[in-house]
Amino acid sequence: MAKLNRRNFLKLAGGSTGLALTGCASSPTPKATKKAGPAKVVVVGGGFGGASAAKYLKKFDPSIQVTLIEYNKTFTTCPGSNWVLGGLRDIDSITHSYDALINKYGINVIHDWVSAIDVDGKNVRLASGSKVEYDRLILSPGIDFRYDTIEGYTANDVNMVPHAWKAGSQTTVLRNQIASMRDGGVFVIAPPPNPFRCPPGPYERVSLIANYFKKHKPKSKILILDAKPKFSKQKLFVKGWKDLYGYGTDKSMIEFVAAPDGKVSKVDVKSKTAYAGPLEEAVKADVLNVVPAQKAGELAHAAGLTDKSGWCPVNHHTWESKVAPFVHVIGDSAIQAPLPKSGYAANSEAKICAAAVASMLAGKDPEPHVPSWVNTCYSLVGPQYGISVAMVYNLTKEGKVGKVKGSGGLTPMDGNRQLEALYAENWLLNISNDTWADG
Amino acid sequence: MMKHRTLLATALLVAAASLQPLMADHDSGRTIGLTCFGCHGADGVSLGAVPSMKGMSEEHVRTAMTDFKSGKRSGTIMNRIAKGYTDDQIKALAKFVAGL
């Protein structure tokens, strides 16, 4: 009986003698039946979603064998990367190792690529050739780019025209371009259409590059060529740009061109020219930052977990894929609206998913019975000027994530910007420590 | 490259580690409380200006959340957050926080 694995069990349970054979007749569903030996969970992706899921699985049930697979030896957070671009801090301050997850939590961390996921065999194959088996798999593969949406821009062009929408070497490439730009140059950013990672991100980036230009290259300009007609926290950003960077006056450092006129359809990488609007008007940049439309991380596509939207449909109670059993998808790759694609949301989803997975592996119904999520995103408009958006979410009667009516919203127009700037910095420290445990 | 064999070693290590299993407590207080750690710090211990939750009494949390919710007390973000919870959820949260 001890050798009976779950695949066999599921086959047996389908037959009329299944329950009698297993001796687990009291379990509510075959899926939730506990099997002998320590449970194995493999987590793929070491960002806010994956690292948090691995850590919280261990907190919920230390007996679970947790393996975290992440190619990179360190993780540089997208939150805070705009602060690096604006010269407010060093990239090391937003870079985390996996040492604490290994040493404090006993998580087995493997730095490798996942080359295939065998959903039927319940194992993950690595580029190195080895195979890791799981009882449940949690994927948090982040985002990838839809390079096909902008003519002339490919994955090979990112060192000339960075996206800097995955932090790390891309952040450094863009920072160096901005730092070496002539005074009087033009920084052009082309934010993506919805949905995308970190909705306020492009506008915080603009703000902090404006702050840098104001001090070091005051004749320079910033042009936003946007694929959207409007953007996250727009009123607050616009007020901040008026307060700090002369927005709306003839001396404004920042100019915003909304879709359709701002939508970039084509790029000439060599001359750093973007072509925007229905007439494909050419805009020459000194530094060009193109953030393409996005989709679930490549791994999710390769594993066949995405639907026609390019993202992964999941059950929001357990974050189990609607396509593949025993596979959970959290973070940016999941269809999670109205939760945004943010680090905070991924961390919050990871806790609910980990709790559900731990319960199910223990042969119980998924806990918690009443899930709850929060998203809190701070943005700096200037070093002393912080704004935020927050929301509380619950599970609706339809079993989907929904906003709790009356909760959340934006910083009030007369809110305390200085205190929120302080909280923004501390927010990043605290959520990073909640995720990588290295604070 | 780590070997699979380390999985076993990991299991033994964990058995010996002084981790506090949270499995026993499935109430909504824990579920809500864990969502707070993103801002207020892992296990309720903040590393900076945002107040730590650890060390707050049940009464303190209940009063603070109730007052943030009603607007009697004003904060930067907490008024917006507190409005997301029922009085029962606030009670459960307060109990969880007091136990940190």
Side-chain angles (χ1 to χ4, degrees):
Chain A
M1 193 57 69
K3 284 182 182 169
L4 194 67
N5 69 31
R6 178 165 287 140
R7 286 176 80 197
N8 290 336
F9 167 65
L10 282 174
K11 276 186 217 156
L12 290 168
S16 58
T17 57
L19 293 176
L21 273 173
T22 65
C24 292
S26 61
S27 292
T29 60
K31 201 165 142 182
T33 301
K34 187 176 168 59
K35 72 168 195 178
K40 298 187 190 89
V41 178
V42 172
V43 182
V44 184
F48 283 102
S52 300
K55 180 186 137 175
Y56 275 88
L57 275 167
K58 280 294 193 186
K59 282 181 84 75
F60 294 144
D61 185 352
S63 76
I64 299 173
Q65 288 183 5
V66 180
T67 301
L68 175 63
I69 302 170
E70 160 61 49
Y71 181 75
N72 294 302
K73 297 270 163 55
T74 58
F75 189 89
T76 302
T77 61
C78 280
S81 64
N82 289 327
W83 311 353
V84 174
L85 291 175
L88 299 180
R89 56 158 80 197
D90 198 87
I91 197 157
D92 290 344
S93 71
I94 58 165
T95 300
H96 303 273
S97 87
Y98 296 95
D99 292 352
L101 293 179
I102 298 167
N103 298 327
K104 285 189 207 164
Y105 288 89
I107 293 161
N108 178 34
V109 177
I110 300 177
H111 297 294
D112 203 343
W113 286 112
V114 170
S115 56
I117 296 169
D118 178 359
V119 169
D120 294 329
K122 290 169 90 176
N123 64 68
V124 167
R125 284 174 196 276
L126 304 180
S128 61
S130 52
K131 192 167 87 172
V132 190
E133 293 183 339
Y134 63 80
D135 294 307
R136 286 194 177 266
L137 174 66
I138 300 176
L139 302 180
S140 190
I143 52 143
D144 264 301
F145 301 106
R146 294 175 56 194
Y147 287 105
D148 58 320
T149 58
I150 296 177
E151 194 186 327
Y153 189 57
T154 73
N156 297 325
D157 300 320
V158 299
N159 287 328
M160 279 287 285
V161 175
H163 52 73
W165 220 247
K166 291 183 182 185
S169 58
Q170 273 286 288
T171 311
T172 305
V173 169
L174 183 55
R175 170 64 193 155
N176 290 343
Q177 289 189 5
I178 291 162
S180 58
M181 192 185 90
R182 68 186 167 97
D183 187 11
V186 182
F187 169 67
V188 176
I189 180 170
N194 293 321
F196 68 104
R197 163 180 282 179
C198 191
Y203 316 97
E204 183 194 57
R205 178 171 293 183
V206 162
S207 305
L208 295 184
I209 291 172
N211 179 65
Y212 168 76
F213 283 169
K214 194 175 162 181
K215 280 187 194 143
H216 301 283
K217 305 174 199 287
K219 289 182 230 155
S220 306
K221 296 280 179 199
I222 297 172
L223 180 61
I224 308 165
L225 296 175
D226 211 317
K228 303 176 291 303
K230 57 182 186 168
F231 59 86
S232 170
K233 303 181 191 168
Q234 186 161 351
K235 276 186 184 165
L236 289 169
F237 274 112
V238 165
K239 180 172 188 325
W241 294 345
K242 283 179 181 168
D243 289 346
L244 302 175
Y245 311 117
Y247 188 74
T249 69
D250 56 1
K251 283 182 187 155
S252 180
M253 186 166 264
I254 300 165
E255 191 187 335
F256 171 66
V257 185
D261 294 344
K263 186 175 164 43
V264 171
S265 53
K266 196 164 96 179
V267 162
D268 181 60
V269 169
K270 273 188 186 158
S271 65
K272 297 194 178 180
T273 304
Y275 296 86
L279 300 177
E280 295 197 335
E281 207 175 317
V283 180
K284 172 97 179 63
D286 290 272
V287 175
L288 179 57
N289 177 200
V290 172
V291 187
Q294 293 163 26
K295 60 181 181 181
E298 212 44 71
L299 179 66
H301 289 272
L305 301 173
T306 52
D307 69 11
K308 62 176 192 274
S309 71
W311 306 94
C312 303
V314 294
N315 168 337
H316 288 149
H317 189 175
T318 60
W319 296 83
E320 189 165 1
S321 166
K322 288 184 174 173
V323 179
F326 305 107
V327 179
H328 302 249
V329 185
I330 56 172
D332 295 345
S333 277
I335 295 175
Q336 57 194 342
L339 273 163
K341 297 191 183 301
S342 73
Y344 202 104
N347 168 280
S348 193
E349 292 159 19
K351 291 166 184 171
I352 296 297
C353 175
V357 164
S359 307
M360 290 191 285
L361 289 172
K364 297 174 191 162
D365 281 345
E367 294 276 2
H369 295 308
V370 186
S372 180
W373 300 269
V374 166
N375 180 63
T376 299
C377 289
Y378 285 96
S379 306
L380 291 181
V381 186
Q384 308 285 316
Y385 196 115
I387 56 175
S388 64
V389 61
M391 185 63 66
V392 181
Y393 303 84
N394 62 6
L395 199 67
T396 63
K397 281 176 195 154
E398 293 76 37
K400 289 180 166 183
V401 170
K403 294 178 180 179
V404 176
K405 223 176 161 184
S407 78
L410 300 168
T411 298
M413 290 308 267
D414 60 353
N416 187 334
R417 302 293 193 272
Q418 203 169 353
L419 194 53
E420 288 217 297
L422 199 62
Y423 287 163
E425 282 195 55
N426 190 204
W427 168 91
L428 183 56
L429 268 182
N430 283 342
I431 194 164
S432 297
N433 189 39
D434 192 36
T435 304
W436 293 278
D438 60 344
Chain B
M1 213 72 66
M2 297 186 82
K3 289 174 186 149
H4 289 145
R5 187 167 316 132
T6 55
L7 280 170
L8 276 177
T10 301
L12 292 173
L13 176 72
V14 164
S18 60
L19 294 170
Q20 283 273 328
L22 293 169
M23 200 68 179
D25 178 8
H26 288 314
D27 66 19
S28 64
R30 183 191 81 172
T31 305
I32 293 164
L34 295 184
T35 69
C36 308
F37 289 0
C39 293
H40 289 274
D43 303 315
V45 180
S46 174
L47 303 174
V50 178
S52 285
M53 287 157 66
K54 191 180 167 82
M56 286 182 181
S57 71
E58 195 173 334
E59 179 60 28
H60 177 88
V61 175
R62 207 169 52 227
T63 307
M65 287 296 282
T66 306
D67 290 352
F68 278 133
K69 188 179 168 182
S70 70
K72 188 177 162 191
R73 180 175 170 186
S74 67
T76 51
I77 202 167
M78 283 311 299
N79 301 94
R80 290 175 265 160
I81 298 281
K83 287 188 179 110
Y85 303 108
T86 64
D87 293 346
D88 282 346
Q89 285 177 314
I90 287 173
K91 268 185 207 163
L93 169 68
K95 205 173 166 189
F96 170 79
V97 174
L100 284 172

